[in-house]
Amino acid sequence: MLLENEIYRAELNKINQAKNNWDRIDNHSFLIIGATGMIGSYMIDVLMMRNEKNKSNIHIYAMGRSEERLKKRFSMYLENSFFHMVEGDVTQPINLNEEVDYIFHGASNTHPRAYATDPIGTIMTNLMGTQQVLDFATKNKAKRVAFLSTVEIYGENRGDVEKFTEDYCGYIDCNTLRAGYPEGKRASESLCQAYIAKHGLDIVIPRICRTFGPTMLLNDSKASSQFILNAVNKEDIVLKSEGNQYFSYAYVGDVAYALLYLLANGETGEAYNIAASEFDLHLKDLAQALASLNQREVIFDLPDEEERKGFSTASQAILASNKINALGWEPLFGLAEALENTVELIRNERV
């Protein structure tokens, strides 16, 4: 079990010992929507570890569409009085009577094959889902909502900047199947601003780059995720392009830390890029780093038509992290450590 692994527990402890205004976290309640996803599940483990080590009295309401998946992922917490399951589809009214202080809306399709095979769900989980979350927050009088947005809202780099700052807006061809994900996120950010203006909600908007880590879903079709699975299986890394794409990546541990940091320190209505310059990589370099873990090779293969429909056409998407760094946040994990831990922890889970 992942939570019994000392490497994983050390990561959770590192986050809980890092700099933050923890008094704004402790003794509060959290509704985490998208609880069984990569980021949501890691976040819950961080907070439950905080309860274990710091006696922090944090109540967690873990929301997902499948009770079975919730029970399987969080089996170790089912008898814990601080953990509560909430089964529900975020596009429907949230069935929770208890008051919660903080809400993380992280429910979304997040990989290319899902964009292509579930295009309506990709859009509506953002549009209708965000409306349901914000309606619940308004009725519930939540202290703060974090809407998890994405690097993809920036669109394609117009060639006029090296890195995307939070006020940048690049090109998206909205009349395509692939546009559903970034346009859904853009519209949801606008909806957040509308609820701030009309209902006085306190909302912060983290913008997350391509994320990896030991809690990633094994059916994730992103290139980076496929590379990791190749490394887990000690296989050659399969690259479905020349690998010149230049992207910001992030380790899930750093993302979870940044989300908790922004919850405590971010300003209402502001968007913040979550990124670290060490993780700015060409795709072929990421592939080579993972292949090297097992002394394997990088090989090239072309995507099938269905996969290609879901692929982003962006070739460079580097996030500037100056804004979140100005709040005092810095990443906790180095690139080599993040890649090694991810491969090792997933491999151990599959034994």
Side-chain angles (χ1 to χ4, degrees), residues 97-156:
N97 295 322
E98 289 81 358
E99 291 187 359
V100 293
D101 298 311
Y102 300 123
I103 302 172
F104 283 97
H105 176 22
S108 179
N109 286 338
T110 57
H111 61 96
R113 195 174 290 277
Y115 304 151
T117 59
D118 184 26
I120 297 173
T122 297
I123 297 169
M124 300 315 292
T125 298
N126 281 303
L127 295 182
M128 290 179 62
T130 302
Q131 182 182 24
Q132 295 292 354
V133 170
L134 299 182
D135 281 342
F136 176 80
T138 301
K139 179 181 178 181
N140 190 265
K141 296 182 171 55
K143 289 181 180 292
R144 169 161 277 190
V145 178
F147 171 68
L148 277 59
S149 191
T150 172
V151 59
E152 294 214 22
I153 64 100
Y154 293 112
E156 295 185 33

Side-chain angles (χ1 to χ4, degrees), residues 64-289:
R65 288 179 294 182
S66 168
E67 182 181 10
E68 182 181 353
R69 284 184 64 192
L70 286 166
K71 285 182 176 179
K72 181 178 179 181
R73 174 59 179 86
F74 302 115
S75 59
M76 71 294 288
Y77 304 137
L78 295 180
E79 302 302 319
N80 192 302
S81 61
F82 289 102
F83 181 82
H84 318 271
M85 289 194 311
V86 181
E87 184 181 14
D89 186 329
V90 74
T91 63
Q92 304 299 316
I94 295 173
N95 184 26
L96 179 63
N97 295 322
E98 289 81 358
E99 291 187 359
V100 293
D101 298 311
Y102 300 123
I103 302 172
F104 283 97
H105 176 22
S108 179
N109 286 338
T110 57
H111 61 96
R113 195 174 290 277
Y115 304 151
T117 59
D118 184 26
I120 297 173
T122 297
I123 297 169
M124 300 315 292
T125 298
N126 281 303
L127 295 182
M128 290 179 62
T130 302
Q131 182 182 24
Q132 295 292 354
V133 170
L134 299 182
D135 281 342
F136 176 80
T138 301
K139 179 181 178 181
N140 190 265
K141 296 182 171 55
K143 289 181 180 292
R144 169 161 277 190
V145 178
F147 171 68
L148 277 59
S149 191
T150 172
V151 59
E152 294 214 22
I153 64 100
Y154 293 112
E156 295 185 33
N157 192 318
R158 301 191 302 261
D160 53 344
V161 296
E162 180 181 351
K163 295 187 175 185
F164 296 148
T165 54
E166 285 80 358
D167 59 351
Y168 188 83
C169 191
Y171 172 73
I172 295 175
D173 183 353
C174 62
N175 194 29
T176 63
L177 179 70
R178 182 57 178 78
Y181 179 64
E183 293 285 19
K185 288 291 189 182
R186 279 185 173 182
S188 294
E189 286 199 19
S190 296
L191 193 60
C192 287
Q193 297 298 334
Y195 273 77
I196 292 170
K198 184 169 182 179
H199 297 293
L201 279 186
D202 184 342
I203 306 174
V204 67
I205 303 172
R207 291 177 179 161
I208 302 169
C209 59
R210 291 162 173 83
T211 303
F212 66 90
T215 52
M216 63 180 243
L217 303 180
L218 298 185
N219 64 347
D220 191 328
S221 57
K222 288 194 294 291
S224 57
S225 302
Q226 293 302 304
F227 297 171
I228 288 167
L229 291 179
N230 288 145
V232 167
N233 295 325
K234 299 184 179 181
E235 301 167 342
D236 291 333
I237 303 297
V238 180
L239 188 57
K240 297 196 172 187
S241 69
E242 293 182 359
N244 295 320
Q245 302 94 317
Y246 188 35
F247 297 141
S248 289
Y249 296 89
Y251 187 54
V252 66
D254 281 325
V255 173
Y257 174 43
L259 294 176
L260 290 168
Y261 199 90
L262 289 174
L263 190 76
N265 302 282
E267 295 185 20
T268 302
E270 292 296 317
Y272 295 89
N273 291 337
I274 298 175
S277 58
E278 185 185 0
F279 288 71
D280 295 342
L281 298 166
H282 289 94
L283 196 60
K284 60 187 176 184
D285 294 329
L286 175 62
Q288 187 58 59

Side-chain angles (χ1 to χ4, degrees), residues 33-64:
I33 303 167
T36 58
M38 173 168 51
I39 296 171
S41 62
Y42 195 106
M43 173 80 72
I44 289 171
D45 286 340
V46 170
L47 294 174
M48 290 300 290
M49 174 70 78
R50 188 158 190 82
N51 280 340
E52 176 187 332
K53 298 288 188 179
N54 300 74
K55 310 300 181 186
S56 295
N57 300 312
I58 299 169
H59 279 273
I60 296 167
Y61 296 87
M63 180 172 163

